[in-house]
């Protein structure tokens, strides 16, 4: 019998950064969909903490007492975890962070400038270095496979796509640029995050910045 890992991942000993409650901009959904484009050139201006909070909420915010989130997930199992490589966000030191969905805060994994390492792991794509923040989504495989067996592989990638599109639309509504990235060396990204490439592995990236 396959045992499912906990629904929420947490780093209990990590320093925590509280995220502000999202203050949503007034936006027309249809105009946002029309305006959505992939941007690879960003300014050096940092994101605000409020902007980052809105993006995180859009991707995986909890929206009901039952724990349902902004993006759908097969069986409401939510196998996708969100990590951030922060280059330039106001009031947050550069470094690698994990998004604690259950409590809506960031967990600091390691401080430092990882833009060069991330760019190298992403086949030299300079958008990684120019971005204010890079979202990295990993899959906790058994969280989905415990129920759906081999079919879980399909569902996991669908889940990541739902989350990414929410982030892209939220970035557009905030007048930010965003670019999803699928070309990277999996194990190099996993090493940056400290995940084992077996029970949890990197599957998708998105760079976000000011334009």
């Amino acid at each position: 019998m396959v045992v499912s890992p906990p629904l929420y991942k947490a780093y209990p000993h990590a320093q925590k950064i509280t995220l502000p409650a999202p203050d949503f901009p007034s936006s027309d959904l249809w105009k946002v969909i029309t305006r959505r484009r992939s941007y690879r050139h960003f300014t050096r201006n940092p994101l605000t903490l409020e902007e980052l909070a809105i993006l995180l909420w859009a991707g995986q915010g909890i929206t009901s007492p039952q724990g349902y989130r902004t993006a759908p997930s097969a069986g409401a199992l939510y196998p996708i975890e969100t990590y951030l490589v922060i280059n330039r966000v106001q009031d947050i030191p550069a470094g690698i962070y994990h998004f604690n969905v259950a409590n809506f805060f960031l967990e600091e994994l390691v401080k430092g400038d990882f833009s060069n390492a991330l760019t190298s792991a992403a086949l030299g794509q300079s958008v990684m270095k120019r971005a204010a923040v890079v979202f990295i989504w990993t899959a906790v495989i058994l969280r989905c496979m415990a129920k759906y067996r081999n079919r879980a592989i399909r569902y996991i990638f669908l889940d990541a796509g739902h989350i990414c599109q929410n982030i892209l639309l939220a970035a557009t509504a905030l007048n930010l640029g965003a670019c999803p990235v699928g070309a990277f060396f999996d194990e190099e990204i996993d090493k940056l995050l400290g995940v084992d490439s077996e029970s949890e592995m990197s599957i998708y990236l998105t760079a976000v910045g000011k334009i």
Side-chain angles (χ1 to χ4, degrees):
M1 179 179 178
V2 179
V3 177
S4 177
L7 183 60
Y8 297 104
K9 184 174 183 179
Y11 291 82
H13 302 297
Q15 181 175 336
K16 298 166 179 59
I17 297 176
T18 301
L19 295 165
D23 183 13
F24 305 114
S26 177
S27 300
D28 182 305
L29 174 63
W30 311 112
K31 290 181 180 179
V32 168
I33 292 173
T34 301
R35 289 171 48 217
R36 193 225 58 81
R37 294 291 184 274
S38 293
Y39 288 90
R40 293 174 175 80
H41 299 282
F42 307 118
T43 72
R44 295 289 299 174
N45 296 327
L47 265 64
T48 67
L49 188 57
E50 290 75 18
E51 288 169 332
L52 183 60
I54 291 172
L55 293 173
L56 287 165
W57 184 90
Q60 289 186 299
I62 295 175
T63 56
S64 79
Q66 293 79 23
Y68 298 136
R69 306 186 192 178
T70 52
S73 175
L77 297 174
Y78 304 108
I80 306 302
E81 293 290 328
T82 297
Y83 295 82
L84 305 173
V85 174
I86 289 180
N87 294 327
R88 295 180 305 281
V89 175
Q90 291 177 3
D91 303 318
I92 302 183
I96 300 175
Y97 296 80
H98 173 256
F99 175 41
N100 186 305
V101 175
N103 298 291
F104 201 67
F105 54 61
L106 294 180
E107 295 166 321
E108 180 189 285
L109 303 186
V110 57
K111 289 181 182 177
D113 181 353
F114 292 91
S115 59
N116 287 332
L118 186 58
T119 299
S120 176
L123 284 70
Q125 296 179 78
S126 57
V127 66
M128 298 288 105
K129 185 177 293 188
R130 289 193 292 261
V133 59
V134 177
F135 289 75
I136 302 176
W137 291 297
T138 67
V140 180
I141 303 297
L142 288 181
R143 200 181 285 164
C144 191
M145 191 170 280
K147 179 176 182 179
Y148 292 117
R149 302 296 193 246
N150 290 340
R151 192 75 173 178
I153 301 304
R154 174 177 299 193
Y155 295 154
I156 282 166
F157 287 99
L158 293 174
D159 280 14
H162 300 322
I163 293 167
C164 180
Q165 181 69 350
N166 276 14
I167 296 281
L168 298 178
L169 293 177
T172 302
L174 292 168
N175 295 311
L176 303 173
C179 181
V181 173
F184 55 89
F185 295 114
D186 302 19
E187 291 186 358
E188 290 189 20
I189 298 291
D190 292 344
K191 186 177 179 180
L192 278 177
L193 303 181
V195 299
D196 64 11
S197 302
E198 294 182 6
S199 63
E200 183 177 359
M201 61 195 68
S202 305
I203 60 171
Y204 208 5
L205 315 178
T206 288
V208 179
K210 296 278 190 172
I211 55 176

